[in-house]
Amino acid sequence: MSFPIADTISNRFRGKLIKIFLQALGCEIGENLICSHWPSFRRIPIGNLVIGSNVQIGKEIHFEPLPTGEIIIGDNCIFRENIVICSGRSVVLENGISVGKNVTIRDDSHNNSKDALIREQGWNFSPVNIRSFVNIGDDSCILRGSSIPEGVSILKESVVLESSMLIKNSAYQGIPVIQKK
């Protein structure tokens, strides 16, 4: 049996605890952080995570800011569940963004060489920028170097690449994404 008022209170309390924890690490956290579950951190963010006001974090949210990277989340964003945000340089999500279930946002990838083991190849980084009022559908990937303009909807099961040329206030779907008419 669910008690919506109790759930709301515990989600807000959990948000306050996470805010205190992250601020103690030098991160900037806005007002009214709501967390239905505890987010996880592959690496503890030391001042390289910014979360705006009125952000809602669902369950199984994983933040992976490398020491050289930063994750910046604007105001009024919603993260559903099972989301990975990884940054070796910069991942910026502006205001009013909605991220569906099972989404990955990464600004990194392995180098690709047949002459070395993958663990010895190093990494490529290129910033990811997601402008305001973007919707990212379930099971989508936003890969290094991607830039998503304001008002775009990325429909479910889509992949946005660095080479994807997106137009403001349009809808896209596919692997890689193409504009929906």
Side-chain angles (χ1 to χ4, degrees), residues 49 52 62 65 71-72 75 136 141 162 177:
L49 176 62
H62 309 280
I71 297 172
I72 300 172
D75 298 335
I136 301 172
C141 292
E162 184 172 19
V177 291

Side-chain angles (χ1 to χ4, degrees), residues 72-143:
I72 300 172
I73 298 169
D75 298 335
N76 305 309
C77 294
I78 299 173
F79 299 89
R80 299 287 179 223
E81 63 184 66
N82 197 26
I83 297 167
V84 175
I85 301 175
C86 183
S87 175
R89 288 292 179 269
S90 175
V91 172
V92 177
L93 295 95
E94 292 185 359
N95 301 322
I97 293 173
S98 176
V99 180
K101 299 175 183 177
N102 307 316
V103 170
T104 300
I105 301 171
R106 306 186 70 93
D107 73 350
D108 63 351
S109 66
H110 283 283
N111 289 330
N112 192 6
S113 170
K114 61 183 176 182
D115 299 326
L117 297 172
I118 195 149
R119 69 176 175 261
E120 298 169 353
Q121 292 181 22
W123 295 88
N124 285 321
F125 300 102
S126 188
V128 170
N129 292 300
I130 302 173
R131 303 300 300 257
S132 295
F133 311 111
V134 167
N135 293 307
I136 301 172
D138 296 351
D139 305 309
S140 294
C141 292
I142 313 300
L143 300 179

Side-chain angles (χ1 to χ4, degrees), residues 12-27:
R12 289 184 185 281
F13 181 70
R14 192 175 297 111
K16 288 184 186 298
L17 291 177
I18 292 168
K19 177 179 177 174
I20 292 166
F21 169 71
L22 291 172
Q23 284 178 327
L25 296 170
C27 299

Side-chain angles (χ1 to χ4, degrees), residues 32-34 51-57 73-77 79:
N32 301 319
L33 179 62
I34 298 173
I51 299 176
S53 295
N54 304 312
V55 172
Q56 296 180 27
I57 295 177
I73 298 169
D75 298 335
N76 305 309
C77 294
F79 299 89

